[in-house]
Amino acid sequence: MSRGTIVMKFGGTSVADAERLRRAAQRIVARREAGYDVVAVLSARGKETDRLIADAHEISQAPDPREMDMLLSTGERVSCALCAMAINDLGQRAISLTGSQAGIVTDASHTKARILDVRADRIFDALGDGHIVLVAGFQGVSTAKDVTTLGRGGSDTTAVALAAAVHAETCEIYTDVHGVFSADPRIVPDARKLDVVSFEEMLEMSASGAGVLQLRSVEYARNHGVRIHCRSSFDDTDGTYVVSEQETMEHPLITAVTHSTGEARVMLAGVPDTPGVAGRIATALAEANVNVDMIIQNEPVSEGARADMSFTVPRDDLHAALRALEAVKADLGVERIATDEMMGKVSVVGAGMKSHPGVAAKVFSTLGDHGINIEMISTSPIKISCVVPGDRVPDAVRALHAAFELSGDDTIRREQPFGEFAS
Ligand code: ADP
Ligand code: ASP
Ligand code: MG
């Protein structure tokens, strides 16, 4: 009699070499032997996805997105096949499946596809036969029957989508840190591990750069009521539970400081001050599948003058954004397009700020006291984000983490050999 189903996801560092892969296999087997049906999702090993991307760029300046997905999806297949071998050697039966074989159906936007449906009958059959099911993360098959990938960090979303489909009691995300921290432990070594974080806060954290959980995985978990337990693959300690607002007990003013160094700014000078122009710019970018983040438009001071518009995009999308804008520039009458590739963003997130004025003032004055120039600002009810020069991001994170007193005595520090802290 099964005790229920568990989804376990192991990230790239957690399967990087033979010893770690075997350790992941042992954890999976231990769960199975404790009476659970287990679906495990694996990422590509170590830096394999980065390597495959570099290979593509070595061959082609603008790799075809469909072929890019054929290439990138291989990394996760390797991990799953190897892990299945390790599990079989441990005396359990495992079967590895590609995303497509696992029934993960996506839209056709190559390299950042969205999951539309999970047709899990093959997984249910394999579980019914007593198998451990290993699913290659980060990939699916499009409605046009092509292999797709789900964007960087997409194995988290595979795991959550499968957890929803098989009604798993928990989706465990095993990674190289002990959970979700009050800041990236690579930048703030005494950041505090959060025991519980709400979907609402985690969404803002992931959206503003906390790559420990892919944004879409958190959206999917919230929409389908999946309970995430983000924890270390190197020991057995409890990690961070991402749960609904009702289940979170405390509401600290600020929960975390997040950051991103992968931002680029696009500045449009001399934008005609006529209705509809902003809409056409935004549409051109949306059609190029570029996610625009912060937008600032300066109204011209004098009648009939032209406006300036700036916005940020992920640096990886800058070329696509520029192509889309160049195509409509003349038609719209925009005078000049300039870019700044080395921008960063620092954000403070906390449900408690809804009811406490003064957080923005403290953020701005803290950054000012450290001589960090704020280039752009955006806010939501539970987040304040500032665009700052890329090279000042670590200083900005540490300054805000200290100003809001987020370090804790119960800190579990990030263990060494898995990467150096940035200084
Ligand atoms: P995986 O390969 O397991 O998916 P990722 O590299 O995608 O791992 O995510 C884990 C990394 O996320 C950590 O090593 C850490 O540096 C980074 N990170 C960024 N922000 C945070 C945060 N607030 N809490 C924990 N980790 C964070
Ligand atoms: N291997 C993919 C990446 O590096 C997906 C993942 O690890 O979640 O982005
Ligand atoms: Mg990840």
Side-chain angles (χ1 to χ4, degrees):
M1 213 351 232
S2 166
R3 290 174 67 181
T5 307
I6 295 245
V7 172
M8 305 169 81
K9 178 254 170 182
F10 291 85
T13 320
S14 311
V15 292
D17 54 34
E19 194 203 320
R20 289 182 192 182
L21 194 73
R22 257 189 232 110
R23 235 189 305 166
Q26 279 158 1
R27 284 191 95 139
I28 293 168
V29 164
R31 268 293 153 67
R32 174 77 195 126
E33 287 175 350
Y36 289 96
D37 283 343
V38 182
V39 177
V41 174
L42 303 189
S43 290
R45 306 177 81 193
K47 302 241 171 282
E48 180 62 11
T49 307
D50 292 338
R51 247 191 314 273
L52 293 169
I53 293 173
D55 285 351
H57 287 285
E58 211 181 330
I59 290 288
S60 163
Q61 276 197 325
D64 180 79
R66 180 190 181 279
E67 302 311 326
M68 196 69 176
D69 279 348
M70 284 297 280
L71 178 71
L72 296 188
S73 60
T74 61
E76 301 10 53
R77 285 176 70 153
V78 170
S79 303
C80 282
L82 292 173
C83 190
M85 295 173 194
I87 291 174
N88 289 331
D89 285 354
L90 290 168
Q92 285 287 338
R93 284 178 302 155
I95 176 174
S96 65
L97 300 174
T98 64
S100 167
Q101 289 174 315
I104 294 175
V105 180
T106 73
D107 65 16
S109 36
H110 284 288
T111 75
K112 41 177 134 168
R114 268 182 183 277
I115 296 178
L116 301 176
D117 194 12
V118 180
R119 300 179 188 156
D121 22 307
R122 186 147 183 206
I123 296 180
F124 284 123
D125 288 348
L127 292 175
D129 289 343
H131 283 98
I132 291 169
V133 181
L134 299 173
V135 178
F138 172 60
Q139 56 186 275
V141 60
S142 74
T143 42
K145 298 198 169 60
D146 282 318
V147 173
T148 49
T149 62
L150 309 178
R152 297 308 306 266
S155 299
D156 297 335
T157 305
T158 303
V160 171
L162 289 177
V166 303
H167 312 290
E169 64 182 59
T170 312
C171 180
E172 295 185 322
I173 306 275
Y174 289 87
T175 185
D176 60 359
V177 281
H178 281 91
V180 179
F181 282 70
S182 56
D184 186 342
R186 284 180 213 244
I187 290 191
V188 184
D190 66 346
R192 191 170 68 88
K193 192 198 80 188
L194 309 172
D195 294 330
V196 174
V197 58
S198 68
F199 286 127
E200 193 189 17
E201 288 176 313
M202 197 62 230
L203 279 172
E204 293 284 15
M205 288 178 66
S206 293
S208 58
V212 58
L213 292 175
Q214 196 202 31
L215 174 59
R216 283 187 186 163
S217 74
V218 187
E219 283 170 352
Y220 207 104
R222 183 197 51 185
N223 294 346
H224 294 81
V226 174
R227 198 179 166 78
I228 295 178
H229 183 193
C230 176
R231 58 191 307 192
S232 168
S233 63
F234 303 110
D235 63 38
D236 256 339
T237 51
D238 252 5
T240 302
Y241 286 91
V242 186
V243 296
S244 66
E245 274 75 71
Q246 293 85 331
E247 291 176 72
T248 55
M249 302 300 272
E250 349 162 11
H251 288 287
L253 181 60
I254 299 301
T255 300
V257 179
T258 57
H259 74 280
S260 142
T261 48
E263 312 278 323
R265 179 165 54 169
V266 179
M267 292 158 283
L268 304 180
V271 179
D273 189 27
T274 46
V277 174
R280 289 175 64 192
I281 292 171
T283 304
L285 292 166
E287 281 170 357
N289 218 350
V290 172
N291 272 324
V292 176
D293 187 14
M294 285 189 209
I295 306 180
I296 291 183
Q297 182 166 356
N298 298 325
E299 273 303 295
V301 183
S302 49
E303 192 73 17
R306 285 167 172 260
D308 291 330
M309 190 189 234
S310 306
F311 50 83
T312 55
V313 296
R315 189 174 305 125
D316 289 344
D317 286 351
L318 181 60
H319 289 291
L322 289 178
R323 261 201 311 277
L325 292 169
E326 290 294 346
V328 295
K329 178 182 166 200
D331 189 32
L332 292 178
V334 171
E335 282 167 2
R336 198 164 61 83
I337 302 176
T339 60
D340 192 338
E341 293 197 27
M342 300 314 290
M343 301 308 289
K345 186 170 71 175
V346 55
S347 309
V348 296
V349 176
M353 76 170 78
K354 273 187 213 163
S355 48
H356 282 83
V359 174
K362 188 160 173 174
V363 170
F364 303 156
S365 54
T366 302
L367 295 177
D369 290 347
H370 287 77
I372 299 167
N373 201 34
I374 302 173
E375 313 268 352
M376 295 164 103
I377 296 165
S378 78
T379 63
S380 84
I382 64 164
K383 182 186 71 179
I384 296 167
S385 297
C386 300
V387 171
V388 299
D391 60 347
R392 298 305 309 275
V393 165
D395 292 339
V397 172
R398 285 189 278 260
L400 292 170
H401 197 269
F404 287 99
E405 296 173 24
L406 297 181
S407 304
D409 302 335
D410 56 344
T411 301
I412 300 179
R413 285 185 171 66
R414 191 168 179 281
E415 282 169 16
Q416 279 309 326
F418 313 117
E420 289 77 51
F421 296 131
S423 57

